[in-house]
Structures are given as structure tokens and as C-alpha cells.
Amino acid sequence: MHYLPYFCGFMDTNYYFCASIIVETMNKDWIEDIKKACRVMQEGGVILYPTDTIWGLGCDATNEEAVRRVYEIKHRADSKAMLVLVDSAVKVDYYVQDVPAVAWDLLEVADKPLTVIYSGARNLAPNLLAEDGSVGIRVTAEEFSKALCFRFRKAIVSTSANVSGQPSPRTFAEISEDIKNAVDYVVEARRNETAPARPSSIIKLGSGGEVKIIRQ
């Protein structure tokens, strides 16, 4: 799959957003899968899907009720924040009030999945954010989750597909039946992969651009 960036007409308070045009057909087996997953999230549902790291629980990151359901499925207190996925670095601006300049450098040189925690989150469900108003955002380069985010047009929650306190599943086969039965849609793509996945690196940026490594 290849993407050609272009400027679209979507504007909000002097922020311009770039979108991506898919110029080559994606994996045809994914088309209906992605449509179904997006439809479920648009209706406030929760999906189980493969990301650029481990399998995750996902929903519309702007829908407070959908986010609440994810916490419920994980048996996790909503005082603990969850990160979100987007398909393009330019979309970070829409969800963060003031992106430190160093963030763009970090995103450009990252050679593996990188979650960046930003202060001053906006345009997201309030119960998704940390107590200090920050949010973790990862720009996915993996083909399926990138295409899913592109099609959905909004940030998607991405949190490990496990009950809080249990080990994170590294493959689809390791996901518990309880989790599978609790969601509204289980994505078909990449279920047969056996290579264990790893969580992303995590960096937290201060409002002045200070960099703190949370997980390498």
C-alpha cells in the first residue's frame, strides 16, 4: 500500500490537516474487514484488532461512552489513561494544543513504534486522558492499522487486549475468550501470525519540550 500526501480543506482554528490518498489498492481481504470495524466504532462499539505492536482493544477515541466500555472490558480504573493511534503525524496537531517542536524530530527519526505522551490534549473523550490532561499518541506505520485509522478518519483507542493485571497477548492466540466475547467485532486480519509482538517505546514530552523516556 502506498500513500500520496495532500492538503485537504479540513480546518479548525488555524490548524490545517493533511490526509492521505490511497493510490494503490490495499489488500483486498482487508476491505470488508475495515468497513465492518469502522461501522462498529461509528456506532459506539468496541473492536479487537491488530496494531503496529500487540493486539488491542479499540474504539472511537472521541466517544466517552465507548471509552468507558473499554475500561469496563479491561476491569481497569478510568483514572489510568489509554493511548490512541493515528495514521499520520500531521493529525497529532488536532489532538494536542501545542506540539513541542522536538516531537516532529522524534517522529521523523523513529525506526520502531513510538508512543509520545503530550500535554494539553484536546478533541478527545475526557475519560481517555491522564489526570494532568496528557495523552499518548502513536503514529502507526503498520499497513492494517494505518488503513483502519485512515478509513475511520478519527483517532482510535489502542490498549492491550487483556484484563488489567494479566499478561499482554503477544499473538491473537494468546487473547482470552472473555476478551473476544466482550467486544462487538473481532478483526479477521493477521489472526494467524505467530511471531510475538512487542509494546512500543514510550516518551513523555513536557510543555517546554523536555524529553523523558518512560519505556525504551
Side-chain angles (χ1 to χ4, degrees):
M1 192 190 320
H2 299 283
Y3 297 85
L4 176 67
Y6 78 108
F7 281 101
C8 64
F10 185 24
M11 179 179 73
D12 179 72
T13 61
N14 298 323
Y15 283 86
Y16 290 86
F17 300 96
C18 290
S20 298
I21 298 174
I22 299 177
V23 294
E24 288 189 8
T25 306
M26 74 175 72
N27 183 325
K28 289 189 171 143
D29 294 335
W30 293 352
I31 294 175
E32 285 304 314
D33 208 11
I34 287 174
K35 284 182 181 177
K36 289 176 182 177
C38 287
R39 189 178 307 120
V40 166
M41 289 191 290
Q42 286 163 357
E43 295 173 352
V46 177
I47 66 169
L48 177 58
Y49 71 117
T51 74
D52 53 339
T53 56
I54 59 179
W55 274 75
L57 294 169
C59 71
D60 178 353
T62 70
N63 185 324
E64 189 170 356
E65 179 59 23
V67 170
R68 186 196 63 76
R69 277 203 58 214
V70 174
Y71 284 120
E72 191 175 79
I73 289 170
K74 287 180 67 70
H75 302 290
R76 179 175 172 175
D78 62 8
S79 59
K80 294 185 178 181
M82 295 187 290
L83 68 91
V84 303
L85 287 188
V86 294
D87 62 295
S88 172
V90 295
K91 292 185 178 177
V92 173
D93 254 335
Y94 185 63
Y95 298 111
V96 179
Q97 289 179 14
D98 187 15
V99 182
V102 67
W104 306 118
D105 296 328
L106 291 170
L107 294 175
E108 184 176 351
V109 301
D111 57 1
K112 64 179 182 178
L114 172 66
T115 299
V116 179
I117 300 175
Y118 302 90
S119 301
R122 61 177 182 175
N123 298 319
L124 293 165
N127 56 342
L128 180 66
L129 312 181
E131 291 182 355
D132 63 359
S134 64
V135 66
I137 301 177
R138 191 164 72 246
V139 180
T140 177
E142 183 274 325
E143 285 192 335
F144 182 85
S145 53
K146 187 178 184 76
L148 180 66
C149 290
F150 172 82
R151 172 79 186 219
F152 191 57
R153 299 175 181 268
K154 289 188 280 186
I156 298 175
V157 167
S158 177
T159 182
S160 57
N162 63 306
V163 171
S164 187
Q166 297 296 318
S168 298
R170 298 177 301 166
T171 63
F172 180 77
E174 293 182 1
I175 301 171
S176 73
E177 290 302 313
D178 286 343
I179 292 290
K180 294 175 186 176
N181 292 333
V183 302
D184 302 298
Y185 183 69
V186 181
V187 165
E188 297 285 345
R190 295 179 49 199
R191 289 194 192 186
N192 295 325
E193 294 180 3
T194 56
R198 295 181 179 179
S200 70
S201 299
I202 302 176
I203 290 176
K204 184 170 185 178
L205 299 182
S207 56
E210 303 86 357
V211 178
K212 180 180 181 181
I213 297 174
I214 306 296
R215 184 172 67 203
Q216 290 187 327

